[in-house]
Amino acid sequence: MTRLLLAAALVGGLATALPAAAQFQKPEDAVKYRQSAMTLIAHHFGGLAAMAQGKVPYDAKAAAFNANIVATLAHLPFTAFGEGTDMDLHTKAKAAIWKDPAKFKAAQDKLFAAVTKLDAAAKAGTLDALKPAVGATGEACKGCHDDFRSK
Amino acid sequence: MTRLLLAAALVGGLATALPAAAQFQKPEDAVKYRQSAMTLIAHHFGGLAAMAQGKVPYDAKAAAFNANIVATLAHLPFTAFGEGTDMDLHTKAKAAIWKDPAKFKAAQDKLFAAVTKLDAAAKAGTLDALKPAVGATGEACKGCHDDFRSK
């Protein structure tokens, strides 16, 4: 438990900001937690991507709502990659997460910067502002998934 | 799809605020979405309950963070109880959700009021402020689960 917490703090670099978020009873709980966060992020980012791609009409209020959810939740999964959460747990997480924590951290930081801009862009209230921020966030998602998530 | 959306709007009463959040490709997606939201809510509310019960030390910053997550996410599951999401989907949702939407809506409203107070109480920064708000939120959770979720 303590090792799990410490590892989560080291990997996530968020121990100061999110102490309680990194406490899990079992490794399985951490996996379920981070997968749940990713499910919600994917859903709400999907709503933004659909607008950016013209698949659904632009709706400033919905965009601001979705971007706020994405920006709020983007930090959560990374508190849940502690030691022991890498094996036999129906996870797609690659070993690279634990083998190259600096690279994993850099990928997180890229995402955090992107979602902060996404949140601001959505609040700006125009599709022109939203589009590049959605693109940059999508790139951050894809870059991390390419390196750290199995297909 | 349209029926699913309309039902979600009627049940959740959030169509105006959350248009994009209620769009799901398949009923299974809605179930996975609402269960994911509940997983995160349970985790972060658990952190608050542990503080309120003295099981972990009070930490004002962590409390404010957890309460913000709970207040933000509390609305999400209720956009995902549309028609067709009630059967054969590994859901614990009871038929009462669709048979008595007014009662289900009242249970939601009780939760929304509780989490708004919880968020404010956590921001107040004292354990004395937090405790009753955690208790009221826990009651709202339990009341809805007793009536609308199978054991």
Side-chain angles (χ1 to χ4, degrees):
Chain A
M1 175 67 174
T2 305
R3 285 205 314 168
L4 193 65
L5 278 174
L6 279 173
L10 289 169
V11 171
L14 288 165
T16 310
L18 318 178
Q23 293 176 0
F24 299 100
Q25 295 293 322
K26 303 187 300 289
E28 291 85 342
D29 294 343
V31 173
K32 185 179 177 186
Y33 174 90
R34 70 195 188 209
Q35 289 178 343
S36 295
M38 289 295 193
T39 293
L40 297 186
I41 291 166
H43 178 81
H44 291 278
F45 184 69
L48 293 165
M51 282 187 213
Q53 295 162 3
K55 293 179 182 171
V56 302
Y58 174 67
D59 177 329
K61 196 170 175 181
F65 175 78
N66 283 328
N68 177 252
I69 296 286
V70 170
T72 301
L73 297 185
H75 294 257
L76 302 187
F78 303 103
T79 66
F81 284 96
E83 198 177 325
T85 68
D86 56 335
M87 291 173 66
D88 300 323
L89 293 166
H90 304 290
T91 173
K92 290 182 179 172
K94 286 186 182 174
I97 288 170
W98 295 274
K99 283 183 182 163
D100 195 346
K103 188 177 180 185
F104 188 50
K105 176 72 165 58
Q108 293 169 45
D109 289 343
K110 185 176 176 183
L111 175 67
F112 300 159
V115 298
T116 299
K117 287 182 185 172
L118 178 69
D119 197 24
K123 285 193 178 86
T126 70
L127 182 57
D128 283 346
L130 187 66
K131 278 183 179 176
V134 167
T137 303
E139 278 180 27
C141 294
K142 184 179 182 305
C144 197
H145 288 173
D146 285 349
D147 290 337
F148 298 107
R149 189 180 71 161
S150 303
K151 302 284 180 197
Chain B
M1 174 68 174
T2 305
R3 285 206 312 170
L4 193 63
L5 279 174
L6 280 174
L10 289 170
V11 171
L14 288 164
T16 311
L18 318 178
Q23 293 175 0
F24 299 99
Q25 295 293 321
K26 303 188 299 289
E28 291 86 342
D29 295 343
V31 173
K32 185 179 178 186
Y33 173 90
R34 70 194 188 209
Q35 290 179 343
S36 294
M38 290 294 193
T39 293
L40 297 185
I41 291 166
H43 178 81
H44 291 279
F45 183 69
L48 292 165
M51 282 187 213
Q53 293 162 2
K55 293 179 182 173
V56 303
Y58 175 67
D59 177 329
K61 196 170 176 181
F65 175 79
N66 282 327
N68 177 252
I69 296 287
V70 170
T72 301
L73 297 185
H75 294 257
L76 302 187
F78 303 102
T79 65
F81 284 96
E83 197 175 328
T85 69
D86 57 335
M87 290 173 68
D88 300 323
L89 293 165
H90 304 291
T91 173
K92 290 181 180 171
K94 285 186 183 175
I97 289 170
W98 294 274
K99 284 183 182 163
D100 195 346
K103 188 177 179 186
F104 187 50
K105 175 72 164 56
Q108 294 169 44
D109 289 342
K110 185 176 176 183
L111 175 67
F112 300 159
V115 299
T116 299
K117 288 182 185 173
L118 177 70
D119 197 25
K123 285 194 178 86
T126 70
L127 182 57
D128 283 345
L130 186 66
K131 278 183 179 176
V134 167
T137 303
E139 277 180 28
C141 294
K142 185 179 182 303
C144 197
H145 289 173
D146 285 349
D147 290 337
F148 299 107
R149 189 181 70 162
S150 302
K151 301 287 177 192

